[in-house]
Amino acid sequence: MNNIRINYFVIVIIALFSAAIIALNITWPDRQKAQINKILSRGELRISTIPSPLITMNDKKDPVGFDYELVKRFADYLGVKLVVNMRTNINQMFDDLENNKADFIAAGLLYNKERLDTTRSGPAYFSVSQQLIYRKGTLRPRSFDTLDGRLVVTAGSAHASLLRTLKETQYPELEWEESDNQTTSQLLEALSEGKITYVLADSISVAVQQRIHPNVAVGFEVTESRPLTWYLPDGEDNSLYAAMLDYFNQLSQEDVLARLEEKYFGHVGSFDYFDTISFITAIDSILPNYQPLFEKYADTFDWRLLAAMAWQESHWDPHATSPTGVRGLMMLTRPTASSMGVTDRLDPEESVRGGAQYLKHLLSRLPDSIPEDERIWFALAAYNMGFGHMLDARRLTEQQNADPDSWLDVKSRLPLLSQKKYYADLPYGYARGHEAYRYVENIRRYQLSLVGYLQAKESKNKILSKDKENDNNEEQERSSLSLTHDMAYQ
C-alpha cells in the first residue's frame, strides 16, 4: 500500500515535539487555554465532518471509520463526550469552525495551504496520493494535456486547490468544475455511471470505490503521498493543539495507528478487476436465492460477512466440492458437518447453519485477550486451516517478540507455517498459512464490496422512488388543472 499509508515520519516528529513539551513542562497563560477549557467545562468535544472512506454512517446511523475511532479515542483521552456533526460539503464544515459550532474538523482532508489563512492544521496521521481517475473502457489519460471531457472535483477541497496551482504554473488551458453538493466518493460513483469523464481523487477513496464500482480506474498519479490532517481554529491559543500532540504521542507509543490502518485499510491494497466484476454480478443474480439463509443464521454476525465467506468458499454454489472432500455453500468437511449436526452438506440451509454455528464455536474458543474487533479474523483463519494451526501462528508471533493478540502481527506470520524452519518446532506442524492469509483478506474485501454495493443500490432506489413520486404528483397537478380548465368552459 504505497499510496495508502500512515505518515510515520511525521508521527515520529510529532511524538518528539510532544515529549519535549512535556519534559520542559511548558505551560500557557490561562487566556491561552480557552479552547481546551471550554471543551472540558462543556463536557463535549464537537467535530464536524462529511462522509468519506475515513468516517461515515453505518446502517444504524452511527458514525464509524478510521477517523471516527481517532476522534472518539481523543474524546476519551480528554474525558468528554464526542458529538459528531455530519455535514454535506467541505465549506459547511469550515463554516462550523469559523462560527464556533465545531472544535475541529475531522474528515480525511488533505493538508491544504489555502485553508491556513483562517485555520491551522493538526497533526498529520495518514498519507494518500492524489490521482486522476477515468472510466475503464474509455481512453486512458496520461497527463492533464490529454484530457477530453468533464473534470469535476469537490468544491473547497485540496484537489481544487491543486488544480488552481497547476493551471497557474503548468497547464494554462486546464478547465474543471467544482461541485459543492457531492463528496469525492459520490463523484467517483457518477464517473462510474458515465455522467462525468474525470475526477481528481485521493488514493484511499479510489481504492474503496473500486470494490463497489470496479470500472473506476487510475489514469495517472498527480502527486506523491501527502498527509491528511484535522483542522482547528487559528489563533494564539495552543491548548487544543498541544493536547492533540500529546494524544498522538500516546498513539504512536501504543502502535494504535498501525492497528487502525490494518483494521480499515489493510485489505484494500490489491485490486482484481475481473474478480470484483464477477462478484458484483453475482450479488444481483445469485445472492437473492441465499440472502434469507445468511440473514436467518447470522445471529451475532453481520449477515454480509457470512455471505462474503460463502462466496470465498463456494462462489455461492451449493453443490461445490473440492479435491479434499469439503462440500457445499460453506465447504464443510465431513467431521465438521457431523459435529455441527449437518446431515446433508449439499443442502444450502444446513450448510449455512452449520458454517455459521462452527464459526461461532471457533470464536468462543479464542482467548479473551484478543480485542473484540479483531477476533473474527482469527476465527476465520481457524475456519480455513484449523484451530490448532491458528494457535501455532500465535505461538510463532510471540516467539518473534510480536503481539499474538494483534491480527496485524499474526497475519504476517501465517505464510511462515509452510516453511520447515518455522513449523518444525510448532505443535501442529505444517500448514498452508499463505492460503489462510488470502482467505481472510479476500473475505474482508468481499464484505466491503457487498456492503458498499448494496448501500449504493438502496440509495439509488430511494432516489428513483422519490423521482417517480414527484412525477406522479406533477401528473396529478396537471390533471387537476386540466379538469379545472375544462369545467371553466362548460
Side-chain angles (χ1 to χ4, degrees):
M1 295 173 62
N2 292 329
N3 295 324
I4 310 172
R5 58 183 176 79
I6 291 173
N7 193 328
Y8 292 103
F9 176 76
V10 174
I11 295 298
V12 169
I13 296 299
I14 291 169
L16 291 175
F17 180 62
S18 180
I21 290 176
I22 297 168
L24 292 173
N25 194 28
I26 293 175
T27 59
W28 289 272
D30 288 340
R31 63 184 177 82
Q32 292 184 341
K33 295 181 181 179
Q35 286 180 333
I36 202 71
N37 287 340
K38 188 180 295 184
I39 293 168
L40 296 176
S41 63
R42 188 196 306 134
E44 290 182 347
L45 176 68
R46 304 170 307 173
I47 71 153
S48 284
T49 188
I50 56 173
S52 78
L54 275 74
I55 185 167
T56 188
M57 295 290 187
N58 62 16
D59 295 339
K60 298 178 181 178
K61 304 304 179 184
D62 296 323
V64 293
F66 184 95
D67 247 335
Y68 173 73
E69 286 212 32
L70 280 180
V71 295
K72 180 63 172 68
R73 287 170 181 265
F74 184 52
D76 293 342
Y77 161 85
L78 295 176
V80 297
K81 177 184 176 182
L82 176 64
V83 177
V84 178
N85 299 312
M86 189 67 71
R87 303 308 186 197
T88 58
N89 62 59
I90 293 175
N91 290 328
Q92 285 180 354
M93 293 190 298
F94 283 95
D95 288 343
D96 282 351
L97 202 61
E98 182 179 351
N99 297 323
N100 197 31
K101 294 181 179 180
D103 298 308
F104 65 90
I105 293 169
L109 296 182
L110 279 156
Y111 177 82
N112 185 354
K113 287 184 178 180
E114 287 188 358
R115 290 292 184 183
L116 301 186
D117 291 338
T118 56
T119 67
R120 69 183 301 177
S121 62
Y125 59 93
F126 199 74
S127 291
V128 296
S129 65
Q130 295 186 72
Q131 301 171 328
L132 194 287
I133 310 303
Y134 75 109
R135 188 169 182 265
K136 200 172 183 67
T138 62
L139 185 63
R140 178 182 178 180
R142 302 290 179 174
S143 74
F144 285 106
D145 287 331
T146 63
L147 300 189
D148 183 20
R150 292 177 61 204
L151 168 60
V152 186
V153 297
T154 303
S157 66
H159 307 310
S161 177
L162 174 62
L163 290 176
R164 284 190 285 272
T165 300
L166 291 173
K167 184 177 180 66
E168 292 173 1
T169 59
Q170 299 181 53
Y171 304 100
E173 303 301 320
L174 183 61
E175 299 291 339
W176 68 92
E177 300 172 27
E178 298 185 19
S179 173
D180 58 7
N181 60 0
Q182 290 176 293
T183 64
T184 296
S185 296
Q186 290 170 328
L187 289 177
L188 289 171
E189 181 176 356
L191 179 142
S192 76
E193 297 172 350
K195 297 177 181 178
I196 55 181
T197 319
Y198 309 109
V199 174
L200 187 59
D202 62 87
S203 50
I204 190 63
S205 292
V206 176
V208 171
Q209 284 299 311
Q210 283 181 320
R211 308 289 166 192
I212 307 166
H213 307 290
N215 59 351
V216 168
V218 179
F220 57 90
E221 296 284 335
V222 180
T223 68
E224 296 181 349
S225 291
R226 294 186 175 181
L228 300 183
T229 184
W230 296 342
Y231 285 90
L232 299 76
D234 194 19
E236 295 181 356
D237 187 343
N238 295 309
S239 57
L240 180 57
Y241 183 72
M244 286 182 179
L245 289 176
D246 185 50
Y247 165 69
F248 275 101
N249 177 48
Q250 289 188 16
L251 294 188
S252 65
Q253 291 177 354
E254 298 169 5
D255 209 25
V256 172
L257 283 170
R259 292 192 181 199
L260 288 179
E261 180 191 13
E262 158 58 29
K263 177 179 179 179
Y264 289 102
F265 308 122
H267 53 298
V268 300
S270 60
F271 173 65
D272 186 322
Y273 171 76
F274 293 104
D275 180 63
T276 307
I277 281 287
S278 176
F279 181 57
I280 293 296
T281 301
I283 291 174
D284 288 326
S285 60
I286 304 176
L287 179 60
N289 299 324
Y290 305 112
Q291 181 174 334
L293 296 180
F294 297 133
E295 293 176 334
K296 180 178 180 179
Y297 294 106
D299 194 16
T300 57
F301 304 124
D302 182 340
W303 73 265
R304 294 163 299 192
L305 172 70
L306 279 185
M309 185 179 172
W311 176 261
Q312 170 65 24
E313 289 284 359
S314 66
H315 277 40
W316 296 332
D317 177 3
H319 301 289
T321 303
S322 82
T324 58
V326 295
R327 309 187 75 186
L329 271 177
M330 304 301 285
M331 295 298 268
L332 300 173
T333 64
R334 191 181 297 277
T336 297
S338 178
S339 67
M340 295 297 115
V342 174
T343 57
D344 182 1
R345 289 181 290 166
L346 299 185
D347 178 83
E349 182 159 6
E350 282 203 61
S351 184
V352 173
R353 178 185 59 78
Q357 186 175 331
Y358 183 53
L359 183 61
K360 189 175 181 179
H361 169 69
L362 293 171
L363 271 171
S364 70
R365 296 179 63 188
L366 292 174
D368 293 337
S369 55
I370 299 175
E372 187 65 30
D373 58 356
E374 297 187 30
R375 296 174 67 83
I376 187 62
W377 315 129
F378 286 86
L380 286 172
Y383 190 103
N384 178 260
M385 66 179 181
F387 194 80
H389 292 303
M390 188 276 296
L391 292 179
D392 275 352
R394 283 172 46 81
R395 290 188 184 93
L396 180 58
T397 302
E398 191 167 21
Q399 289 172 10
Q400 296 185 350
N401 298 316
D403 186 356
D405 294 330
S406 165
W407 176 246
L408 174 65
D409 291 347
V410 173
K411 81 170 188 176
S412 65
R413 271 80 183 179
L414 289 175
L416 302 182
L417 297 181
S418 62
Q419 300 180 31
K420 189 172 183 179
K421 66 177 180 178
Y422 297 106
Y423 73 71
D425 297 325
L426 296 171
Y428 293 91
Y430 172 85
R432 293 191 295 271
H434 56 285
E435 291 185 7
Y437 178 98
R438 289 198 300 268
Y439 178 84
V440 177
E441 298 300 273
N442 284 346
I443 289 173
R444 295 174 70 185
R445 283 190 280 266
Y446 292 138
Q447 184 182 12
L448 175 63
S449 292
L450 182 55
V451 171
Y453 182 78
L454 291 179
Q455 286 178 344
K457 189 174 181 180
E458 181 182 5
S459 178
K460 189 177 297 184
N461 287 338
K462 286 182 179 178
I463 293 173
L464 292 174
S465 177
K466 189 173 182 179
D467 289 344
K468 185 176 181 180
E469 182 181 347
N470 290 337
D471 289 342
N472 289 336
N473 290 338
E474 290 177 3
E475 180 62 31
Q476 290 177 2
E477 289 179 5
R478 284 194 295 268
S479 298
S480 177
L481 288 172
S482 177
L483 178 61
T484 301
H485 180 272
D486 291 343
M487 291 177 63
Y489 284 89
Q490 285 180 356

